Amino acid sequence: MTASVALEELYQCRSKRAQALHDAGQKVIGYFCCYVPDEIIAAFDMLPYRIQGSQNEPIDEADVHMETMACPFARSCFNLALKGKYDFLDGVVIPHTCDTLEHLYIIWQETRPLSLTHFVNVPHMLGPSSATFYRQELNTFIVALETWSGQKMDTNKLREAVKVYNSHRAALRDLYKLRKSDPPLVSGAEVTKAVVAGMGIPAMEHIELIRTFIAEVKARLQTKKDQRPRIFLWGNELDDAAFIRLVEESGAQVVMDDLCTGTRFFWEDVPETEDPLDGIVTRYLNTHCPRTNLPQAATREADLENRFGHIGRFVREWRVNGVIFYIVRYCDTCELEGPDLREYLQGMKLPVLMIEDDYSTSTIGQLRTRVQAFLEMIA
Amino acid sequence: MENMEKIKTTAVKGTKAAQKVRGFVKNIYRNAQEAKAQGKKVSYVMVSSHYDEILRAMDIVPLPTENFAGLCAAKREMDRFLLKAEEDGYSQVLCSYARIGLGFDSLRKELGGIPENSPDGGMPMPDMMVGSSNVCDPRFKWFQATGRFLDAPHHSIDVVKPPVHADLKAVQKYYVRYQQEQFEELIAFLEIQTGKKLDKERLWETLRLGDEACRLWHETDRLRVAVPSPMPSQDRFSIMVPAYYYTGTQEAVDFYRELYEEVKYRVDNKIGTAGEQRYRVLYGGGLPPWHTLWIFNYFESFGAAFVMENVYRVHDPVEVPSHVKDPVEYLAWRTFLRLTSSHEKAKANTGNIEVERLLDIIRDYQIDGVVFHACRSCRATTLGQIHTKNRLSQYTDMPMTQLVSDMVDLRDYSEAQWKAQIGAFIEALAGREKTA
Ligand code: SF4
Ligand code: SF4
């Protein structure tokens, strides 16, 4: 089986590997968002599993427990849990990313109780005192894992996990770099699938698949330069390739992103510090997410640069022609961030299309006309 | 209930104290406008951020943008601001308070001054903006966003609360410490903005006043267990103003003393609010429907009186350890203790803070039914209502209903639907009364 086929299978059947490992006795810990360090879970020889929803399945059971004005991504995840699709999880960790997850913690805890349901508070402010607090919260999390598993945290294993996950990140960065060229060597839809496929399998297995996949891509017959506009995607949770496929079928190339399920999740390495927790704290706390406020810079211009400079660099290096925002509705911090980012990008002379969606493939068709009109405008 | 009907009572409308609140609201904006004219510092604030007394102690005039949004809705003056924000790219599902604030700031920028006919004269340009992560996400993100429309420095602080299952003894130290550091970072920011140092004695003074107002309000709430109910829920939506918007002032203390005395007098003399109080209803949560406050009269016309509310809560009195000698440290402790005051009790019983609180109210206030108000654009106060309702029904069979609209956006409101739902709710109350 080629890596490409293996990744496609994992993408289609995301829990298969985790289920097998759970059946074989390994503990699987589900978590949300970008603020629960994989490294800590892995250091306990447990499998970190990034919880995802399903854009294909209607949310039918969750509404009995949760208001429909909650983030539909979170609702979808919970819906799957209610249907027993997350029964292979031994524990679940919910970080305080946003209002929705804060409430979901209680609802999940009381509706689908597991022997480990843990909440990690994450500072919304990046001030001088935030790192110490977050570190203490991670310590509390470690103690919870220790108590639950009866195992002590081994610092050497944590150090080792940092190395492993950094190589994982390096592999994913290499994958992303395949789209720097014109035309990109691989499509945006393929890349998203490959990344999502690895969110619930051991890092080493995913690294190998990604490395092989990169080799396979490089061996493909290369097409000529084309005129298709190069698109950057910004938003929150997009763990289904359908929307990206729609953009690409409409005549564009999705070449780079800043999404919870994309670069935001893996781009930056964890610095390899003497005490591994130092590096972990720095790396995770500084995740570029709209739910975290950076201290304000002296001028508006400097402030936007401070907040969005990483996107500016991506856009330049990947020679982007236009940006599409894919915002899962009801995510207040993303909704408030969008117009500021649009201002920053327009300052770079980049056209922006803002899309708000219900995290559902059934509504994606309705977006086609808007995407096409946008692409025509760029062309 | 039978007995209750037989009690002969004198009936009055709401409290006199509540009628005075209109003046407090007007003064928020007048004070800010005058302060600007006198060169004093004015700050956009998110009230109930636990930092409120610090601003008072530093003579910074607070301008609560959320209140302004509610005011616009009460006066049905919100549409142009909502639409402006949407035109500027803000989603129709974003917190409507934030949309009104952003729309107002955007219009003020565009027009070069306060939009004409703004309620209570509108909000002048602030010298700074101070947000917080207490209660919800928009409360720290909104001021960052509104930087598009005005040039004022912004600083927000974290207000952290451990989850109910936390081992409070284990986490207390670092929660309090972070909270204190957050306040200290804020003070450093405010000192730069005002050009003067915080006077710690003044802070002690405002804290003392803040605590006293809180104590008086809390005691007033306890008086409301009385039958007949001496104060309707509608009043809370007014009487919370001094505590929330005048935190740490003598005015607020005087107000709650008066309120307390008035309510006490009514209780002592069995004076209830107007109308037949056939059913005692709890406002179970959610921001009030500012656009449609008359709906409470509609309930009353069926004999359903709202006697207590689970919104704009007053904190339980807490005891800060006596070794604490610094007012900022005191504030950090007070914040932690207030935010965790129900944790241990909830942990020992239902496991859920919200459910625990509501069950206490239901018992103490002899509640017959619960009404929740879901606001489509406020996740913080809405999300979890269904779950709470489900959990409550494990302990009680009383009728409960959830009305859905928004705190300000009328587009989410349907009168016909509400009336139908209220009808069904009243029927259920009546049915239960019979079987009892
Ligand atoms: S998409 Fe937004 S609202 Fe949804 S879980 Fe993530 S941060 Fe929260
Ligand atoms: S989301 Fe709710 S609590 Fe937060 S600012 Fe808006 S109205 Fe207030």
Side-chain angles (χ1 to χ4, degrees):
Chain A
M1 190 173 17
T2 61
S4 136
V5 172
L7 286 166
E8 176 73 30
E9 268 182 19
L10 279 166
Y11 167 78
Q12 296 297 349
C13 215
R14 298 181 199 176
S15 53
K16 206 168 149 196
R17 184 74 185 114
Q19 175 80 58
L21 289 168
H22 165 84
D23 293 344
Q26 191 179 4
K27 296 240 182 297
V28 183
I29 307 293
Y31 69 90
F32 282 91
C33 286
C34 304
Y35 291 93
V36 180
D38 283 316
E39 289 84 348
I40 292 180
I41 299 171
F44 280 91
D45 296 319
M46 300 173 192
L47 175 68
Y49 187 97
R50 170 90 183 254
I51 295 176
Q52 298 156 37
S54 165
Q55 288 193 249
N56 294 309
E57 280 188 53
I59 301 174
D60 40 13
E61 293 188 19
D63 293 355
V64 187
H65 304 275
M66 236 175 140
E67 284 74 8
T68 52
M69 43 72 87
C71 155
F73 158 74
R75 282 169 54 229
S76 170
C77 295
F78 183 55
N79 196 60
L80 294 183
L82 288 173
K83 289 179 152 177
K85 299 208 172 153
Y86 279 127
D87 283 354
F88 62 87
L89 294 181
D90 295 284
V92 61
V93 187
I94 302 188
H96 186 177
T97 305
C98 59
D99 292 332
T100 292
L101 287 192
E102 186 183 8
H103 285 92
L104 180 61
Y105 162 71
I106 297 161
I107 299 173
W108 190 304
Q109 216 273 335
E110 298 188 343
T111 317
R112 301 290 293 184
L114 288 168
S115 56
L116 177 86
T117 310
H118 190 83
F119 183 77
V120 179
N121 241 325
V122 185
H124 281 293
M125 308 309 149
L126 269 190
S129 51
S130 314
T132 318
F133 177 76
Y134 181 54
R135 190 195 169 92
Q136 305 273 22
E137 276 292 280
L138 290 184
N139 259 324
T140 299
F141 173 41
I142 291 171
V143 171
L145 282 175
E146 287 180 338
T147 318
W148 180 67
S149 66
Q151 236 178 292
K152 272 269 156 225
M153 159 66 94
D154 175 343
T155 309
N156 282 328
K157 277 195 176 170
L158 187 58
R159 216 170 271 134
E160 203 38 52
V162 167
K163 285 206 177 85
V164 169
Y165 279 88
N166 278 345
S167 350
H168 184 228
R169 296 182 181 105
L172 293 176
R173 282 194 300 265
D174 285 347
L175 172 68
Y176 266 59
K177 284 177 191 154
L178 297 177
R179 292 181 294 170
K180 271 192 171 178
S181 60
D182 187 13
L185 302 184
V186 59
S187 75
E190 279 178 289
V191 168
T192 291
K193 284 184 184 182
V195 174
V196 169
M199 289 184 172
I201 66 171
M204 291 304 281
E205 292 177 19
H206 196 224
I207 295 171
E208 200 175 319
L209 279 169
I210 293 292
R211 290 279 170 223
T212 320
F213 179 58
I214 293 173
E216 284 170 19
V217 167
K218 284 185 174 161
R220 283 178 192 169
L221 265 182
Q222 292 313 322
T223 48
K224 285 212 206 65
K225 252 181 159 358
D226 63 31
Q227 299 298 310
R228 283 184 292 166
R230 300 166 64 85
I231 299 296
F232 183 91
L233 273 187
W234 179 83
N236 37 21
E237 297 281 347
L238 189 52
D239 52 19
D240 193 291
F243 177 73
I244 302 178
R245 210 179 305 117
L246 177 129
V247 175
E248 298 191 320
E249 281 168 8
S250 305
Q253 318 256 19
V254 172
V255 294
M256 196 45 176
D257 69 56
D258 179 17
L259 297 166
C260 302
T261 42
T263 61
R264 190 173 301 152
F265 180 51
F266 70 78
W267 198 259
E268 304 292 340
D269 275 342
V270 170
E272 291 186 23
T273 44
E274 174 55 28
D275 179 343
L277 211 48
D278 289 339
I280 290 175
V281 166
T282 313
R283 155 64 174 74
Y284 281 89
L285 196 56
N286 285 285
T287 302
H288 300 288
C289 174
R291 56 80 61 206
T292 300
N293 264 17
L294 288 161
Q296 190 185 29
T299 62
R300 171 96 182 139
E301 222 185 359
D303 199 51
L304 292 180
E305 188 55 41
N306 209 12
R307 287 161 62 195
F308 306 125
H310 65 290
I311 297 179
R313 286 188 290 281
F314 282 154
V315 154
R316 275 187 293 270
E317 275 186 49
W318 270 260
R319 287 168 296 150
V320 165
N321 308 114
V323 180
I324 298 180
F325 291 0
Y326 178 88
I327 301 176
V328 171
R329 214 186 294 279
Y330 304 117
C331 178
D332 288 308
T333 56
C334 247
E335 310 262 24
L336 280 162
E337 186 98 315
D340 277 0
L341 176 58
R342 183 179 59 181
E343 178 185 325
Y344 175 79
L345 293 166
Q346 284 173 343
M348 295 175 76
K349 303 269 176 298
L350 278 168
V352 174
L353 170 66
M354 283 171 66
I355 284 178
E356 190 185 55
D357 191 49
D358 286 317
Y359 186 78
S360 162
T361 43
S362 68
T363 49
I364 278 180
Q366 296 161 16
L367 303 174
R368 191 178 299 270
T369 340
R370 287 183 64 200
V371 169
Q372 281 169 347
F374 176 69
L375 295 178
E376 265 166 37
M377 187 192 82
I378 301 183
Chain B
M1 284 298 118
E2 282 282 292
N3 290 342
M4 218 180 96
E5 276 170 51
K6 286 193 201 118
I7 298 171
K8 273 268 167 259
T9 61
T10 328
V12 290
K13 276 207 113 38
T15 57
K16 287 203 202 79
Q19 286 160 24
K20 290 195 179 156
V21 169
R22 186 69 196 105
F24 274 89
V25 174
K26 276 202 173 131
N27 280 341
I28 295 176
Y29 305 96
R30 187 177 306 137
N31 291 346
Q33 287 144 8
E34 281 173 13
K36 278 303 277 190
Q38 295 160 2
K40 283 195 207 148
K41 298 288 183 192
V42 173
S43 177
Y44 271 6
V45 295
M46 292 297 166
V47 290
S48 200
S49 283
H50 297 269
Y51 61 47
D52 312 50
E53 285 106 333
I54 297 179
L55 272 80
R56 285 286 171 189
M58 295 184 79
D59 293 320
I60 297 167
V61 180
L63 198 43
T65 52
E66 284 172 295
N67 178 275
F68 185 69
L71 176 69
C72 289
K75 299 202 151 196
R76 297 262 174 137
E77 277 282 351
M78 62 288 201
D79 290 351
R80 58 180 161 157
F81 305 131
L82 289 170
L83 292 175
K84 181 69 184 160
E86 284 159 30
E87 208 181 284
D88 285 332
Y90 296 100
S91 160
Q92 234 199 69
V93 303
L94 172 67
C95 159
S96 49
Y97 280 180
R99 263 181 290 148
I100 289 183
L102 289 157
F104 176 86
D105 286 340
S106 172
L107 265 180
R108 187 180 48 201
K109 181 181 178 190
E110 194 178 289
L111 302 169
I114 296 177
E116 247 177 69
N117 301 323
S118 292
D120 288 354
M123 297 190 291
M125 188 71 87
D127 299 292
M128 68 196 97
M129 301 186 274
V130 184
S132 91
S133 70
N134 195 40
V135 182
C136 76
D137 300 335
R139 292 183 15 123
F140 65 87
K141 196 73 190 169
W142 160 2
F143 289 163
Q144 183 185 55
T146 214
R148 280 171 84 190
F149 309 118
L150 56 93
D151 192 12
H154 156 231
H155 184 96
S156 283
I157 64 159
D158 262 318
V159 175
V160 284
K161 175 171 89 183
V164 62
H165 310 98
D167 173 353
L168 289 186
K169 282 205 185 70
V171 302
Q172 176 177 296
K173 203 167 156 202
Y174 72 83
Y175 268 77
V176 173
R177 179 160 159 219
Y178 183 49
Q179 205 51 67
Q180 184 173 346
E181 285 167 339
Q182 285 294 293
F183 289 136
E184 279 161 358
E185 284 166 31
L186 171 65
I187 292 167
F189 168 82
L190 297 175
E191 288 181 341
I192 294 172
Q193 301 312 318
T194 56
K196 54 177 198 203
K197 282 244 157 269
L198 165 75
D199 174 347
K200 294 216 167 166
E201 282 312 311
R202 283 275 329 265
L203 181 55
W204 271 126
E205 181 58 16
T206 56
L207 286 171
R208 197 188 55 74
L209 292 168
D211 287 350
E212 180 61 3
C214 201
R215 187 188 65 80
L216 286 162
W217 185 10
H218 188 265
E219 287 187 3
T220 309
D221 262 358
R222 295 303 305 167
L223 288 174
R224 294 173 65 203
V225 298
V227 178
S229 162
M231 177 185 138
S233 287
Q234 298 90 300
D235 273 14
R236 185 184 213 83
F237 307 146
S238 314
I239 65 101
M240 60 90 174
V241 165
Y244 275 62
Y245 303 100
Y246 289 80
T247 323
T249 65
Q250 186 64 45
E251 276 164 287
V253 173
D254 295 345
F255 176 86
Y256 289 101
R257 184 160 299 124
E258 229 180 289
L259 176 72
Y260 175 83
E261 272 153 21
E262 187 185 352
V263 174
K264 173 113 184 22
Y265 177 82
R266 288 185 172 199
V267 171
D268 290 346
N269 294 282
K270 296 210 178 319
I271 303 173
T273 47
E276 186 196 11
Q277 295 185 4
R278 198 179 182 93
Y279 313 111
R280 292 172 64 90
V281 181
L282 163 64
Y283 184 85
L287 295 172
W290 292 118
H291 46 75
T292 310
L293 287 176
W294 61 264
I295 205 74
F296 290 96
N297 303 338
Y298 185 70
F299 275 99
E300 278 165 9
S301 69
F302 296 102
F306 280 81
V307 301
M308 192 51 196
E309 332 46 53
N310 177 37
V311 66
Y312 301 124
R313 277 193 299 245
V314 52
H315 296 285
D316 296 329
V318 294
E319 191 93 19
V320 171
S322 58
H323 66 77
V324 176
K325 299 286 178 245
D326 175 79
V328 183
E329 191 184 349
Y330 174 90
L331 191 51
W333 269 98
R334 194 184 76 181
T335 306
F336 179 81
L337 294 172
R338 281 180 170 180
L339 293 175
T340 53
S341 63
S342 312
H343 276 51
E344 294 301 346
K345 181 164 179 291
K347 225 196 295 189
N349 297 307
T350 56
N352 182 311
I353 295 171
E354 201 65 9
V355 171
E356 194 67 29
R357 272 211 193 107
L358 291 177
L359 284 174
D360 283 350
I361 298 179
I362 287 171
R363 188 196 54 228
D364 296 351
Y365 291 75
Q366 303 176 51
I367 298 296
D368 302 306
V370 189
V371 176
F372 294 90
H373 179 226
C375 296
R376 263 199 237 280
S377 77
C378 176
R379 267 144 289 284
T381 62
T382 298
L383 231 177
Q385 285 182 8
I386 297 180
H387 178 69
T388 302
K389 200 162 140 263
N390 293 346
R391 288 289 324 272
L392 277 178
S393 50
Q394 296 171 350
Y395 302 92
T396 164
D397 64 351
M398 72 175 51
M400 291 185 250
T401 192
Q402 186 192 40
L403 298 171
V404 180
S405 78
D406 186 62
M407 55 282 193
V408 301
D409 199 331
L410 263 175
R411 288 170 290 187
D412 292 313
Y413 166 69
S414 151
E415 188 170 318
Q417 157 118 36
W418 276 34
K419 285 194 166 163
Q421 242 179 293
I422 294 169
F425 176 69
I426 301 285
E427 257 176 49
L429 285 173
R432 194 163 173 269
E433 188 186 26
K434 277 207 196 90
T435 40

